[in-house]
Structures are given as structure tokens and as C-alpha cells.
Amino acid sequence: MVQKTLDYVKKPIIRTEYVRTSAYPGLVGMFEGRNILVTGGTRGIGLAAAKAFHVCGGTVIVTGRSPKKLREIKESFASDRFFAMEWDISDICGQEKKMEELDRIINGGVDVLVNNAGANRNEHGETAASWDEVSEMEWDHIVNTNLKATYFLIQKFAKKWVEVFPDRERHVVNVASSSGFEPAVLPYGISKWGVVALTEGFGRKLAPYGITVNGVAPGPTSTTMATKRDDSEDLSYPEIPRQCYGVPEEIANTILFLASDYGKNIVGEVVRSDGGFSLTVTGGQ
Ligand SMILES: NC(=O)c1ccc[n+]([C@@H]2O[C@H](COP(=O)([O-])OP(=O)(O)OC[C@H]3O[C@@H](n4cnc5c(N)ncnc54)[C@H](OP(=O)(O)O)[C@@H]3O)[C@@H](O)[C@H]2O)c1
């Protein structure tokens, strides 16, 4: 009887409309007059965040590397509050130029920076299975995209905000990962440790200037990165306490909350949104 009950509890969870809600009703209108830059916003978590900010009144700029995908996304929004920019954020030398291009697109500068673009494979879509197979090329690609780009974007935007537009409140939300809290020997996990560390560090350093830096740490989320489709129907993942993948919209909602007035008192925090995944990895019984 007890086993039967447990089997019932462990039934795979199939997605519901509820988890696909793209923005908390309480946040609607909260981003009016604010400019939000979402790196890597052409699919997955970044696209869900872009949609949610847009629904909440914001002017949104997404970046990505595929001109075709960017064109399609721009067309699908069909809005004068939505822009799509070709911008490989791992190209650190090109950042200044891209920021100038951005200034020509939007008025008043960026208010919210979402460092979302990320990579967990090398440029050919492959990844080392263990630490003794990691190549320098894979390391550079992953660490440059996830960590180096995030660091230098925060540095450049924060300098500008402090020097040029000092009187506005700004937010940075970094998309880390639950793997940023686990022992790491592969570049992805190591890069996300770095993202957690710089979120705490910049959180403390920049708060006195009205710049609030926080992060979200997703667990397995149904996107291309996790070899799922963004709109996958089967979200079953029995090893996670919640027993299913998260969906991009759930992570997006955490991003919006942290970038909103409701998140003002949260500083240098990386909020886990992982269905309890990290509790199992660290051995919680
Ligand atoms: N999905 C998960 O299970 C999971 C779990 C933990 C953390 N995360 C984190 O969540 C973030 C978003 O991941 P996701 O799952 O939504 O991934 P995704 O579906 O693969 O989307 C990644 C996005 O980033 C863009 N991108 C990748 N490299 C870029 C670069 N160098 N410059 C500009 N844009 C770039 C991609 O567009 P192009 O390829 O066209 O450039 C795409 O729009 C990442 O930081 C990831 O590490 C994801």
C-alpha cells in the first residue's frame, strides 16, 4: 500500500499551462520606460525573459550570433519596443563598439543587464566527458562566453552608469547554474562558480551606486542547451525532487523579480531555481 502511494507520488509531471505563464501579473507595467539588454535572447531562457520584460512594458534588446534567428525573432515581436542585435558576447575586444551600436538603437542607455548567453560545449557542439579530455579550445570558448564576457560587460556598463548616468537605479541579473555550487572539474561548472563569485562581489561593490547585482541558478531546464526543446511536453526527470525539468518561463520570472522593485533589498544573491536538484547533488537525503 505504501509502495503504491509512493509510485503514485513519483508519477512524471507533464507540463501545465501554469508553468508557461510568461510574467507575474504583479510585474506588468513595472518595466515601462526601462531598457533591458538580454544577452543570448534568441531562444531558451533568454527569449522567455525577453518576452516577459516586453509584456511588462520594457523596451528589450536581445543579442545572438545568428542573423537569421535574430531577424525571425524581431519579426515575431513586431514591436517598436523590441530590438535584436548580432553580438557575439565572447568577443571581448568588440564590446565597446557594440555598446556604441546599442546607444544608437535605444535612448537613455540600458537600465537592466541580463547576462544570460551561455555555452556548455565547444564551438563544434562537442564537450569533453571528463577532465582529462578538456582541450584549451573548449575551455576558452566556454569560459569566455559564460564568465569573461559577463565580467567585462558588468565592468563596462557599471563604469558608464556611474560616470554618465549616475541618477538612475540599475539592475544586473546573471544567469549562473546550479552547477556553480557543485565541485567542478569541467569548464562549464568552473565558469559558473565564477559567475556566482562575481555576482556576490559586484553585488557588494556596486550597491552603493544604485546598481543591484543578483543572479539566478537554474537547474536542468527544458531548452536546447539541455538537449530539450523550449516547448517540450515531456518534462519528466525523476532524479530531481520536483521530478521534472524547469521551463524557461519559470527562470525568466525569477530574473524579472530580481530586476524589479520587489527585488530591491536582495543584493549579491544567486537564487536557485532548480526543483531541488542541487540538494540531491550535495547529498541531501
Ligand atoms: N538549460 C539548462 O538546463 C540550464 C541550466 C543551468 C544554467 N543554464 C544557463 O542559462 C543560460 C541560458 O541557457 P539556455 O538553456 O537558454 O541555452 P540555449 O537554449 O542554448 O540558448 C542560448 C542563447 O545564447 C545565445 N548565445 C550563445 N552563445 C552566444 C554568444 N557567444 N554571444 C551571443 N549569444 C550567444 C544563443 O544564440 P546563438 O547560438 O544564435 O548565438 C541562444 O540565444 C546559460 O547561461 C546557461 O548556462 C541553463
Side-chain angles (χ1 to χ4, degrees):
M1 178 61 182
V2 174
Q3 189 53 48
K4 240 182 163 176
T5 311
L6 285 177
D7 286 348
Y8 175 75
V9 171
K10 279 185 146 179
K11 231 170 56 168
I13 297 171
I14 304 301
R15 84 171 175 89
T16 65
E17 285 313 312
Y18 174 70
V19 293
R20 294 286 174 183
T21 304
S22 63
Y24 288 129
L27 294 175
V28 172
M30 196 165 270
F31 292 95
E32 266 170 28
R34 303 178 80 182
N35 297 324
I36 299 107
L37 176 66
V38 182
T39 68
T42 58
R43 61 173 188 264
I45 293 167
L47 178 58
K51 284 180 182 166
F53 277 117
H54 188 260
V55 166
C56 293
T59 296
V60 180
I61 310 98
V62 299
T63 74
R65 293 164 301 175
S66 156
K68 180 172 173 280
K69 194 75 196 149
L70 288 160
R71 224 176 15 253
E72 286 168 6
I73 296 285
K74 170 88 184 125
E75 280 166 18
S76 74
F77 273 81
S79 163
D80 59 3
R81 289 189 292 109
F82 184 85
F83 303 91
M85 266 181 84
E86 192 179 339
W87 183 349
D88 180 345
I89 51 118
S90 67
D91 172 17
I92 312 297
C93 298
Q95 277 184 353
E96 299 275 1
K97 230 171 154 193
K98 286 293 172 184
M99 285 173 70
E100 285 166 18
E101 191 180 326
L102 187 63
D103 279 344
R104 288 194 291 276
I105 297 175
I106 48 162
N107 287 324
V110 168
D111 299 292
V112 179
L113 166 64
V114 181
N115 283 306
N116 165 76
N120 64 351
R121 291 160 194 280
N122 70 18
E123 274 158 295
H124 310 293
E126 302 146 352
T127 183
S130 73
W131 59 269
D132 52 349
E133 290 171 11
V134 174
S135 68
E136 193 177 346
M137 213 168 71
E138 177 174 343
W139 171 279
D140 286 346
H141 179 67
I142 293 174
V143 176
N144 285 355
T145 308
N146 299 354
L147 180 59
K148 191 172 178 184
T150 298
Y151 181 90
F152 283 103
L153 276 180
I154 296 175
Q155 184 208 54
K156 290 193 178 72
F157 274 104
K159 278 168 85 170
K160 199 166 159 176
W161 289 337
V162 171
E163 286 162 17
V164 189
F165 305 108
D167 299 327
R168 292 174 73 154
E169 283 187 10
R170 317 282 171 169
H171 288 266
V172 176
V173 184
N174 298 320
V175 182
S177 167
S178 55
S179 59
F181 297 101
E182 295 160 21
V185 290
L186 297 176
Y188 182 76
I190 292 168
S191 71
K192 294 296 184 178
W193 268 78
V195 173
V196 172
L198 67 77
T199 302
E200 293 184 1
F202 278 121
R204 185 174 69 176
K205 192 57 91 183
L206 298 178
Y209 300 98
I211 303 167
T212 308
V213 182
N214 285 300
V216 58
T221 308
S222 71
T223 70
T224 311
M225 179 177 277
T227 61
K228 281 266 173 191
R229 286 163 45 112
D230 291 2
D231 60 353
S232 292
E233 292 285 334
D234 177 14
L235 296 180
S236 161
Y237 197 144
E239 293 79 12
I240 299 179
R242 188 188 174 201
Q243 297 179 32
C244 63
Y245 282 85
V247 294
E249 290 81 355
E250 291 172 323
I251 312 302
N253 271 320
T254 309
I255 294 172
L256 258 75
F257 179 81
L258 291 171
S260 77
D261 289 347
Y262 295 125
K264 267 186 179 170
N265 198 37
I266 305 172
V267 170
E269 188 63 67
V270 180
V271 179
R272 298 178 206 217
S273 176
D274 67 358
F277 182 63
S278 46
L279 302 177
T280 62
V281 175
T282 52
Q285 298 291 323

